[in-house]
Amino acid sequence: MTGRTFGRVGAFAAAVTMGVAVGSVSALPASAETLADAMIAAYRNSHLLEQNRAVLRASDEDVAVNVSALRPTLGLQAQGVTANYKSSSTAYKNLYGTIGLQASMTLYDFGRTRAAIEASKQTVLATQEALTGVEQNVLLAAVQAYMNVRSTQEVVSLNQSNVGVLEQQLKASKDRFDVGEITNTDVAQSQAALAAARSQLTASQGQLAMAREAYKAATGHYPGRLAPPPHAPQLPRTQSQAVQIAQRNHPDLKSAQYQVKAAEYMAQQAKDEIRPSLSASAQYGVDDLGNDAASATVTLTQPIYAGGKISALYRKALAQEDQNKAGLMQTSVTVTQNVGNAWAQLAVARSSISAYDEQIRAAQTAYNGVKEEAKLGSRTTLDVLNAEQSLLDARSSRVTAGTDEYVAVYQLLSSMGLLTAQHLKLGVPTYDASAYYNQVKNAPATSVYGKRLDKVMKSIGR
């Protein structure tokens, strides 16, 4: 839940926030958009967050609805009555009316309504955690979009440079062909390589266009000039530590825990439906002749036979309780699995980076050697082109691996439940999930509370 402290996680959370804060204040031109800027924009502009905040407010109102069931109701009742009388010689018609007040209240229902109130409170807490989960997804999407734009921009730049180099090589091949040093086959190979490079450039430009669209969808605007990403946040030293943090903090797991508690209260409510209910009502009315009347009634109702409905509803509630308990266990398994997956992805990305760095060094050496040997006539034009393509592929793969590593860090944070605006200290006003609930939990009906609710809604942008 946003705004909650998680005990021993505090020191680690502080380390996480330091990683983002340091990068966001590095010396960069004012026009460069940082990763923190992208996440802030995503947090402010996300329609998905706004949708789920509305879902939470609707859940808050369920508490007020159940609270109101223990309060009296008062209504106005007016009637107009026409009386007709007809004898053998005379017809009479009389019109008269009454107006009155009617009040009723449940005096005691053996805890059914109280159970419903507690169940709705647990549902509110579960929905708050679900909102935190949505926030994590929104921020992770912003990180992915930011890094994808940067990586595709680098790949486009590499392909543009490759096209330029191949254009020069084609010109050189034609010059050498003119003086008889090489054959037309060598020229054709250069032409084919250039055409392939241009096609590859076009494809990478298309990938960049799609990455820009994904960025706009994640943040609400197209990217401008993006700053280099900051240092990645610090992570736990071991996978087991990450799992322990996730088991304490992950919003999906906490939401499932609240859902189990809600189901337990709902089962208790269904069990109590067989018990009696005591209510009272009172009426007072005046007719158009000034005659008044008043009455009061106390009613005890006890179900005797309901065709099996009450028992069926109780069994259904027990089954739903078992369902939520099993769902909690499965959520725990899934959270642990997601931590393991993120940990493995990070390890793979880091290993890939080392391998690609070595590949780039070797490919560069090979390219330089083949190029020099070609000048001496011991290598063909095709050998040079193949060596250059290998070098380009290694550099492009290195860019992708670097992006994968950085995103994997934030995926691991998300799997631990720490990828929130508050934990990252993004410097953006966060949504107070309890503000609206605190105003409506007691089912307010007066204008004073109405004004308070107006202020709350204004503060959350409604």
Side-chain angles (χ1 to χ4, degrees), residues 129-393:
E129 295 297 339
L131 177 60
T132 302
V134 173
E135 179 183 343
Q136 288 206 136
N137 294 336
V138 167
L139 294 180
L140 181 59
V143 173
Q144 291 172 326
Y146 187 94
M147 294 305 298
N148 285 341
V149 169
R150 281 191 52 84
S151 65
T152 51
Q153 286 175 339
E154 290 184 41
V155 171
V156 167
S157 179
L158 286 173
N159 286 323
Q160 287 173 336
S161 298
N162 186 47
V163 168
V165 170
L166 290 176
E167 286 175 343
Q168 293 178 357
Q169 287 185 352
L170 177 59
K171 183 177 181 301
S173 295
K174 289 180 178 180
D175 292 340
R176 294 176 66 190
F177 173 76
D178 291 339
V179 297
E181 292 183 2
I182 59 175
T183 66
N184 191 47
T185 301
D186 295 308
V187 176
Q189 289 173 341
S190 296
Q191 290 173 332
L194 177 58
R198 286 172 175 168
S199 176
Q200 196 169 354
L201 173 59
T202 301
S204 63
Q205 289 171 335
Q207 292 294 325
L208 176 57
M210 289 188 288
R212 286 173 55 82
E213 293 296 334
Y215 188 94
K216 183 177 185 296
T219 65
H221 65 274
Y222 286 110
R225 189 163 63 88
L226 301 183
H231 295 297
Q234 296 180 8
L235 298 174
R237 294 182 178 179
T238 65
Q239 180 177 339
S240 61
Q241 290 177 346
V243 170
Q244 291 174 3
I245 294 171
Q247 289 293 326
R248 291 194 298 267
N249 295 342
H250 201 281
D252 289 353
L253 194 55
K254 299 179 77 64
S255 178
Q257 291 170 346
Y258 289 126
Q259 289 172 2
V260 168
K261 293 180 182 178
E264 291 174 351
Y265 282 115
M266 293 174 68
Q268 184 61 46
Q269 179 189 9
K271 181 180 180 181
D272 291 339
E273 287 296 331
I274 196 63
R275 307 182 74 175
S277 177
L278 185 65
S279 62
S281 62
Q283 293 180 330
Y284 175 79
V286 180
D287 61 19
D288 55 357
L289 299 178
N291 301 317
D292 61 348
S295 65
T297 305
V298 176
T299 303
L300 177 68
T301 59
Q302 169 65 60
I304 297 177
Y305 178 70
K309 178 181 178 181
I310 295 177
S311 298
L313 290 175
Y314 177 52
R315 294 192 300 270
K316 178 181 178 181
L318 289 178
Q320 290 174 334
E321 181 181 347
D322 291 340
Q323 172 190 346
N324 287 351
K325 287 180 179 178
L328 171 59
M329 299 303 295
Q330 183 58 42
T331 300
S332 177
V333 171
T334 301
V335 166
T336 301
Q337 179 186 9
N338 290 340
V339 171
N341 291 342
W343 193 272
Q345 289 172 352
L346 181 58
V348 168
R350 287 174 174 172
S351 297
S352 298
I353 288 174
S354 298
Y356 286 130
D357 286 340
E358 181 62 28
Q359 183 180 355
I360 289 173
R361 287 192 292 269
Q364 183 68 61
T365 301
Y367 172 71
N368 293 339
V370 169
K371 189 175 180 181
E372 291 301 321
E373 292 171 4
K375 293 179 180 179
L376 300 176
S378 60
R379 291 285 186 171
T380 66
T381 300
L382 182 59
D383 292 332
V384 175
L385 295 174
N386 289 337
E388 183 178 3
Q389 185 62 46
S390 296
L391 178 57
L392 174 65
D393 292 342

